[in-house]
Amino acid sequence: MITFDKTTKTYEGNVTAVKGVDFTVEKGEIVVLLGPSGCGKTTLLRMVNRLESISDGKITIDGQDSMSLNQTALRRKIGYVIQSNGLFPNMTIEENTMIVPDLLGWSKKDKKERFQKLMEMIGLSGEKFGKRYPHELSGGQQQRIGVIRALAADPPVMLMDEPFGALDPIIREKIQDEFLQIQKEVKKTILFVSHDIDEAIKMADKIVLLRGGELMQYDTPSEMLVRPKNEFVREFFGKDRAIKSLSLHTIQDLQEMIGLAEFDDAIADTKTINVNHDLRNTLSMLLNQEADQVIVSDDDGNKLGAITIDIVQKYLHYEIKAKPAPVLEGV
Amino acid sequence: MEKWMKFLEVNSSRIFDLTIEHAILVGLAILVALLIGVPLGIYLTTNDYLAETVLQIASVMLTIPSIALFGVMIPVFSIVNQGIGFVPAFVALVLYAQLPIIRNTYTAIRNVNPQMRDAAIGLGMKPIQRLFRVEIPNAFPVIMAGIRTAVVINIGIGVIAAYIGAGGLGVLITQGISRGDNYLIITGSVAVAILAMIADGILLWIQKRFTPKSIAN
């Protein structure tokens, strides 16, 4: 758990980068810091492991004031991933991955075992890649190594500074999925900086939207899309925020709420889509297909029904937009 | 040609001794210059103001004509009765070697990719761990290039040291000039050139051997 308590960052010359930000990252959650460039999101992230000093207020990690800890010890307890992966070219993949365990004085045997386990997690062969150097790996592989390096000493908290920002869209999406899968297993408390709205919606349990160092809204992605607190939030997510919110729902959700249409066997050449697909992709597919319907199938290939643009629209209206507002505490 | 052979035969042991003397003078000067220059270059990366000053002083040092610097050394070291010979020549060579070594070390460490440095700090490396595990290995080729420059400069300037009685291959050349003996002059010059090439070759081998593979590309 990371708690920000009126956390403030002022640079010399009275430039305030972060203004009294208050929020809590719950244990095992991914919170994405989102906002336009210069909004203070990276500064805020770097204040957690004290790469930036805290001017005022405080940050507590699992109830412990971050300033009460030794700087180096604090950093070794926090996983850190940066955009350009920051792998050291003079070290092999194994050495790179095992830096923090090495600094912490783990035994050779423990390090070896841990390395194999981490490599398994990202589906790379430890034997094959361990002795290679970073430049011998592809960008996507390097970034995966960057991620497991941060996980190496099993820190409870991870900081990720636009970790997938430098990757091409196809690889990025794949690594995002992979990472979410890993997160299901490891359940780290993660603070994640992104400037990409789609990435934020996909990765976040909650989003912190910042502007000029001030917290605009702290909410789940769907709440933020459906009930933006102010004009800035509304504009930031854009006119297509309704469509964006569709990526938070799967066909399965739709099926459970309003059911699918009967499918028409007579129409030849109809595409099939898995029931676990999100609705945004489904909608794109419907639009690109120029067909009236797409057949929905489950994991075993059984046809469950058909989905049309009309049904998606109906779901959007009734299940997303018109969902009753949650009761506000203390009101 | 026959005369040449004869000359070399007669003088071979003397040429060899002078070459060794030259190599020892330059080698010791470089060693001491390294012990001063590399730590100083690393320290300067933490102090911008001082860096400017030190690098300028070192540059100025390199512009002083070598014969003048050797000349200046004589009265200075006469105070401790070492006016001519090994000591003044050694000190002058140490000074000449400073600029390439300090400047390359400073530049190399400063130019280590800031994101790499950021990662090192963020992962919890102490400054000294960062220096030895990340910064120096990645700066190594550029630091070595500075050392190689210093060695070649010093082997060349070391010739002038003969004028203040420090020996070395310069002896052949100065004698050749005063006697009008071309054999001596050419032999001395060629020996200096060969010594420089051998030294540079050895250092290049060390540089390649110890540069991490992935930086070399």
Side-chain angles (χ1 to χ4, degrees):
Chain A
M1 193 175 77
I2 314 169
T3 310
F4 294 84
D5 183 8
K6 298 194 182 57
T7 309
T8 301
K9 174 75 189 178
T10 318
Y11 288 107
E12 283 170 53
N14 274 334
V15 182
T16 310
V18 177
K19 286 177 202 161
V21 169
D22 278 315
F23 68 95
T24 299
V25 185
E26 296 296 343
K27 199 170 155 51
E29 274 191 353
I30 301 181
V31 169
V32 174
L33 299 173
L34 183 66
S37 50
C39 69
K41 53 190 192 290
T42 297
T43 310
L44 189 59
L45 180 94
R46 290 165 63 91
M47 285 162 82
V48 177
N49 63 357
R50 284 167 60 192
L51 288 171
E52 300 277 356
S53 60
I54 302 168
S55 311
D56 205 2
K58 63 179 181 179
I59 298 173
T60 53
I61 298 166
D62 291 333
Q64 199 166 17
D65 188 339
S66 71
M67 293 308 286
S68 71
L69 287 159
N70 168 289
Q71 193 163 287
T72 313
L74 172 80
R75 287 174 187 152
R76 289 177 188 173
K77 285 208 303 196
I78 299 175
Y80 184 47
V81 189
I82 58 177
Q83 185 182 47
S84 64
N85 71 59
L87 298 181
F88 303 123
N90 57 314
M91 299 181 194
T92 63
I93 296 304
E94 183 164 356
E95 287 165 347
N96 261 296
T97 312
M98 288 297 115
I99 286 170
V100 182
D102 194 40
L103 292 170
L104 293 170
W106 286 25
S107 76
K108 246 188 180 155
K109 185 167 154 276
D110 289 350
K111 280 191 281 186
K112 194 137 214 117
E113 276 174 21
R114 181 69 181 153
F115 177 66
Q116 295 300 341
K117 191 164 173 232
L118 289 165
M119 289 296 274
E120 237 166 70
M121 221 188 246
I122 52 168
L124 294 176
S125 153
E127 265 92 48
K128 191 172 157 203
F129 288 95
K131 297 282 168 282
R132 293 197 187 173
Y133 285 87
H135 75 285
E136 297 171 295
L137 271 60
S138 72
Q141 288 168 338
Q142 289 184 24
Q143 201 57 50
R144 287 184 178 97
I145 301 298
V147 170
I148 61 167
R149 178 172 70 179
L151 284 167
D154 208 14
V157 172
M158 271 176 76
L159 305 176
M160 306 179 81
D161 191 356
E162 301 203 18
F164 311 132
L167 302 170
D168 68 69
I170 296 169
I171 306 277
R172 187 189 312 152
E173 205 150 305
K174 219 176 134 204
I175 295 192
Q176 286 169 345
D177 292 337
E178 200 178 279
F179 183 71
L180 286 173
Q181 209 56 43
I182 293 174
Q183 166 66 359
K184 268 189 198 159
E185 241 177 83
V186 298
K187 296 201 176 57
K188 299 294 178 196
T189 306
I190 298 172
L191 203 56
F192 187 116
V193 166
S194 181
H195 66 264
D196 176 351
I197 297 175
D198 294 325
E199 181 175 66
I201 292 171
K202 179 173 178 178
M203 304 302 287
D205 291 308
K206 283 184 191 141
I207 295 176
V208 169
L209 186 62
L210 294 163
R211 180 179 67 169
E214 280 177 277
L215 194 150
M216 292 285 111
Q217 188 167 353
Y218 178 41
D219 241 323
T220 61
S222 60
E223 275 302 299
M224 215 173 250
L225 286 164
V226 178
R227 268 178 282 279
K229 256 190 189 162
N230 59 37
E231 198 51 37
F232 173 76
V233 182
R234 194 189 312 277
E235 262 177 36
F236 188 81
F237 284 102
K239 290 207 166 57
D240 60 344
R241 61 184 188 278
I243 294 174
K244 282 182 180 131
S245 71
L246 282 175
S247 62
L248 293 164
H249 301 258
T250 63
I251 300 178
Q252 185 134 34
D253 298 333
L254 178 143
Q255 190 194 10
E256 280 163 16
M257 286 296 177
I258 57 174
L260 296 166
E262 293 285 315
F263 59 88
D264 187 353
D265 268 330
I267 303 171
D269 202 27
T270 306
K271 286 254 163 90
T272 2
I273 190 167
N274 187 286
V275 72
N276 293 319
H277 256 73
D278 73 56
L279 287 174
R280 188 173 174 184
N281 282 338
T282 310
L283 186 64
S284 314
M285 199 167 163
L286 283 164
L287 293 168
N288 291 342
Q289 272 271 297
E290 293 173 11
D292 294 336
Q293 62 171 9
V294 169
I295 293 175
V296 179
S297 67
D298 64 13
D299 289 335
D300 301 325
N302 302 320
K303 292 176 181 175
L304 302 173
I307 192 160
T308 63
I309 293 177
D310 284 346
I311 296 179
V312 176
Q313 196 179 22
K314 193 169 149 204
Y315 181 75
L316 186 64
H317 272 290
Y318 293 103
E319 301 305 328
I320 301 179
K321 279 191 174 169
K323 204 165 63 175
V327 182
L328 293 172
E329 279 174 51
V331 175
Chain B
M1 204 64 208
E2 238 171 72
K3 276 185 171 174
W4 259 112
M5 283 305 164
K6 185 100 182 133
F7 172 84
L8 289 176
E9 213 182 300
V10 174
N11 291 288
S12 64
S13 77
R14 182 158 176 253
I15 295 169
F16 183 77
D17 290 346
L18 287 172
T19 308
I20 297 295
E21 198 176 20
H22 202 101
I24 289 174
L25 175 66
V26 171
L28 284 178
I30 289 292
L31 206 64
V32 172
L34 278 179
L35 292 177
I36 301 168
V38 173
L40 185 58
I42 291 170
Y43 170 73
L44 290 181
T45 58
T46 62
N47 189 334
D48 285 341
Y49 175 74
L50 193 64
E52 188 89 350
T53 319
V54 171
L55 287 174
Q56 246 158 30
I57 293 172
S59 302
V60 169
M61 203 90 73
L62 206 61
T63 64
I64 301 173
S66 46
I67 193 127
L69 188 60
F70 282 118
V72 169
M73 290 293 153
I74 296 175
V76 173
F77 283 95
S78 293
I79 300 168
V80 288
N81 262 337
Q82 294 283 351
I84 58 167
F86 179 82
V87 175
F90 170 79
V91 172
L93 290 182
V94 170
L95 291 176
Y96 273 118
Q98 288 304 298
L99 178 70
I101 293 176
I102 297 175
R103 190 174 53 195
N104 277 43
T105 305
Y106 171 80
T107 316
I109 299 279
R110 273 199 74 132
N111 286 355
V112 166
N113 183 343
Q115 268 153 339
M116 213 192 288
R117 184 173 291 131
D118 200 62
I121 301 171
L123 288 169
M125 284 192 197
K126 293 178 185 149
I128 201 85
Q129 291 168 328
R130 196 172 83 224
L131 187 67
F132 282 102
R133 291 184 183 215
V134 177
E135 291 176 341
I136 292 181
N138 286 295
F140 185 72
V142 181
I143 296 176
M144 272 310 284
I147 296 172
R148 283 166 55 204
T149 310
V151 167
V152 173
I153 288 178
N154 264 11
I155 290 177
I157 291 176
V159 170
I160 312 295
Y163 279 112
I164 57 168
L169 288 166
V171 172
L172 294 177
I173 298 172
T174 51
Q175 277 181 4
I177 291 170
S178 56
R179 295 181 196 164
D181 184 341
N182 285 341
Y183 289 132
L184 278 176
I185 298 176
I186 293 171
T187 308
S189 311
V190 171
V192 167
I194 292 174
L195 183 62
M197 283 193 285
I198 292 174
D200 195 51
I202 293 171
L203 290 170
L204 183 63
W205 181 82
I206 294 175
Q207 176 180 336
K208 289 205 165 143
R209 172 71 183 72
F210 293 100
T211 297
K213 257 188 273 165
S214 40
I215 310 169
N217 311 328

